[in-house]
Amino acid sequence: MYENMEANFEGAQTVRVKDSRIPLRHEVRPFFQPILSLQTQEIIGYETLGRRMRDGQIESLGPFFNDPDIPEDMHLLVDRHLRERAIEQLNAANVPSALFINLKPSWIYRTYKRTGVLPTLELLRKYRIDPAQIVIEITEEEFTGKLQELTQIVELYREFGCTVAIDDVGSGFSNFDRIASLEPKILKIDLNLLKKSAVHAGYKALMQSFSILAGQIGASLLVEGVETKQELHHALQTGARYVQGYLFSKAEPYFQHKDAFKPLLKEEMSLFGQEEFDRYSRLLAVHHRLDALIHTAVSIATAEDADQVIERTLQSVTDNCIRMYICREDGYQISSNYIRKAEIWSKDVSYRGANWTWRPYFISNILMMNLQKQGMLSQVYTDLDTSQQIQTYSCALGEGFYLFLDLLI
């Protein structure tokens, strides 16, 4: 099969030898960008990227693969040649690292439907590569075939022992249907989404939603495009398990030592851990300031009683508290909303009688507070009214009443 592929490659080169857009066979080289584990701070794998060596210069093959005027069969021939050279190099280097191989869903689908063969698996057999070392990255592109059939084909890679990943999640075509159907073990976040989330609350919330999604489906989050230490810290905040980017290394024609970036990662993760510890310490200071109130018998019979409890507490809360209210354990709010803007507290009685059991965390938090007999701090989320990133601290007040404080982070 591969002899025929090489012959086709050479024949196509002969026909198009005058087309400078198409690389010659000997010009095509695999380069490898390291992927690092934040768990071990080691290189655990490499993404295979195509390069063209021409006139002593290194050129990306991106423009070639993205050129719509070049026949797709030529794209596929060059990609398969590049893939074989990468697997051959992995075999020769005898390193335990994983190799991340990009495959377009349309290529997988059409090739298997036409031939009944998955060329990548044939290459693994040819070079006797442990399939556990291979990550099949399903790339971002519009796919017009049948998703159920694509899922069945991708399952063949998984059954063979490869890991399945979805590339460029959040960039457009990598939709939730594809994620749910393919059940990847790795979600690779588009670098543009990461950069936008650093300065835009909406994109930050979207990043956090992918982190939650990964946890729900049993996948790990890989954040690419990490170029600065600040972006590394941002990746840590979103729950990334793996990272890659120019902060560590550009793609190189060789495999690097697994500990090459461990000192950098250890230092930055230590700084990040201390920053997070300090932030949570400030948030949990709320608990200590309210300790006397929590352990004092509080009598609440009416909405006015609840408001008086809050008004006695206003001076005890930390400066980052923007909202306070009291609910019964059935979810109904008994107090008014007390809202702080520009250091001034205001009272909104319209929230009396609102029910909050529709919020996913409400019932579980009530049960946990009753079980643990102490206050709780929620996960970070975006406030519906202010669009700011907040956490909610909640604690029991006497029998059947609960105080909630919304805190800026």
Side-chain angles (χ1 to χ4, degrees):
M1 174 181 177
Y2 283 94
E3 290 76 5
N4 292 336
M5 187 192 82
E6 294 295 343
N8 290 338
F9 195 177
E10 293 293 352
Q13 299 290 325
T14 301
V15 173
R16 297 181 173 87
V17 68
K18 294 182 180 180
D19 190 341
S20 62
R21 296 174 305 166
I22 300 175
L24 300 173
R25 180 173 178 273
H26 70 272
E27 293 176 334
V28 176
R29 305 279 181 83
F31 273 50
F32 308 94
Q33 186 172 37
I35 294 170
L36 293 97
S37 166
L38 295 174
Q39 182 175 326
T40 64
Q41 300 89 55
E42 297 175 351
I43 296 174
I44 54 90
Y46 295 86
E47 180 177 4
T48 307
L49 300 170
R51 297 291 184 263
R52 180 180 186 178
M53 310 297 292
R54 179 165 54 168
D55 300 327
Q57 300 296 315
I58 301 173
E59 303 173 10
S60 171
L61 283 177
F64 163 76
F65 284 118
N66 293 320
D67 190 334
D69 295 328
I70 296 175
E72 187 176 64
D73 285 348
M74 177 54 68
H75 288 159
L76 193 54
L77 284 172
V78 172
D79 180 76
R80 286 183 184 172
H81 175 71
L82 177 67
R83 209 181 314 163
E84 179 161 13
R85 296 286 77 80
I87 290 172
E88 182 181 39
Q89 196 163 330
L90 179 69
N91 178 57
N94 193 30
V95 295
S97 300
L99 198 63
F100 285 62
I101 297 175
N102 298 303
L103 294 176
K104 288 186 177 183
S106 60
W107 289 358
I108 299 170
Y109 185 80
R110 282 198 288 270
T111 298
Y112 189 78
K113 293 283 284 185
R114 186 175 65 249
T115 68
V117 172
L118 294 175
T120 299
L121 300 189
E122 296 299 306
L123 285 172
L124 299 185
R125 292 187 181 100
K126 177 180 177 179
Y127 290 97
R128 298 182 181 180
I129 298 293
D130 181 356
Q133 285 185 262
I134 302 299
V135 178
I136 302 297
E137 278 192 39
I138 308 299
T139 61
E140 181 276 332
E141 71 157 2
E142 185 175 11
F143 175 69
T144 57
K146 296 180 180 179
L147 182 57
Q148 183 179 0
E149 291 184 358
L150 175 65
T151 301
Q152 292 169 349
I153 296 169
V154 170
E155 185 63 27
L156 297 176
Y157 290 103
R158 195 173 357 245
E159 290 175 356
F160 194 73
C162 302
T163 298
V164 175
I166 290 186
D167 193 17
D168 291 336
V169 171
S171 63
F173 296 118
S174 297
N175 54 47
F176 288 109
D177 278 348
R178 191 181 298 183
I179 293 172
S181 184
L182 298 183
E183 298 182 290
K185 297 305 291 183
I186 296 174
L187 295 180
K188 193 169 185 180
I189 299 298
D190 174 60
L191 64 90
N192 290 317
L193 185 62
L194 172 68
K195 294 181 188 302
K196 288 177 181 177
S197 68
V199 295
H200 191 286
Y203 283 101
K204 185 173 185 179
L206 190 59
M207 282 287 290
Q208 290 170 344
S209 74
F210 284 127
S211 177
I212 295 170
L213 174 63
Q216 291 292 320
I217 66 174
S220 298
L221 212 59
L222 193 167
V223 173
E224 69 171 345
V226 177
E227 298 181 356
T228 66
K229 293 178 179 179
Q230 182 179 7
E231 289 174 352
L232 172 60
H233 287 215
H234 189 44
L236 284 161
Q237 285 179 329
T238 61
R241 183 180 182 182
Y242 306 116
V243 289
Q244 74 177 98
Y246 282 1
L247 175 62
F248 312 106
S249 174
K250 65 181 188 301
E252 299 286 2
Y254 51 83
F255 300 109
Q256 304 180 54
H257 192 280
K258 67 174 184 177
D259 293 333
F261 308 102
K262 181 171 280 191
L264 169 62
L265 272 179
K266 277 193 169 184
E267 180 180 358
E268 291 307 314
M269 291 182 72
S270 178
L271 289 172
F272 173 78
Q274 187 59 52
E275 290 170 359
E276 288 294 285
F277 182 83
D278 292 343
R279 182 169 71 87
Y280 275 94
S281 294
R282 290 192 298 271
L283 289 171
L284 290 173
V286 173
H287 177 81
H288 298 295
R289 292 198 182 188
L290 295 176
D291 189 64
L293 177 64
I294 294 170
H295 293 93
T296 300
V298 175
S299 176
I300 299 176
T302 66
E304 286 71 23
D305 292 340
D307 285 356
Q308 288 178 15
V309 170
I310 293 178
E311 288 169 6
R312 292 198 302 269
T313 310
L314 292 179
Q315 302 307 314
S316 301
V317 298
T318 53
D319 294 339
N320 61 331
C321 180
I322 62 169
R323 189 183 297 112
M324 298 177 64
Y325 53 97
I326 294 174
C327 293
R328 301 198 306 256
E329 64 182 358
D330 61 4
Y332 284 95
Q333 182 169 327
I334 187 171
S335 75
S336 305
N337 257 16
Y338 283 78
I339 305 165
R340 175 154 53 186
K341 292 182 179 179
E343 304 305 318
I344 298 174
W345 287 97
S346 62
K347 175 180 174 179
D348 186 348
V349 299
S350 67
Y351 280 88
R352 291 178 180 177
N355 189 290
W356 300 109
T357 52
W358 60 269
R359 286 182 167 169
Y361 63 81
F362 189 90
I363 297 297
S364 60
N365 279 11
I366 294 295
L367 293 173
M368 290 302 294
M369 282 188 285
N370 289 338
L371 177 66
Q372 298 177 356
K373 306 301 181 184
Q374 63 182 20
M376 291 187 62
L377 191 62
S378 75
Q379 295 294 320
V380 176
Y381 65 97
T382 301
D383 182 53
L384 292 175
D385 294 332
T386 66
S387 296
Q388 294 177 295
Q389 294 283 293
I390 66 172
Q391 290 178 275
T392 296
Y393 179 82
S394 50
C395 58
L397 291 177
E399 191 66 32
F401 295 96
Y402 300 86
L403 175 66
F404 292 82
L405 299 88
D406 291 339
L407 310 167
L408 292 174
I409 62 171

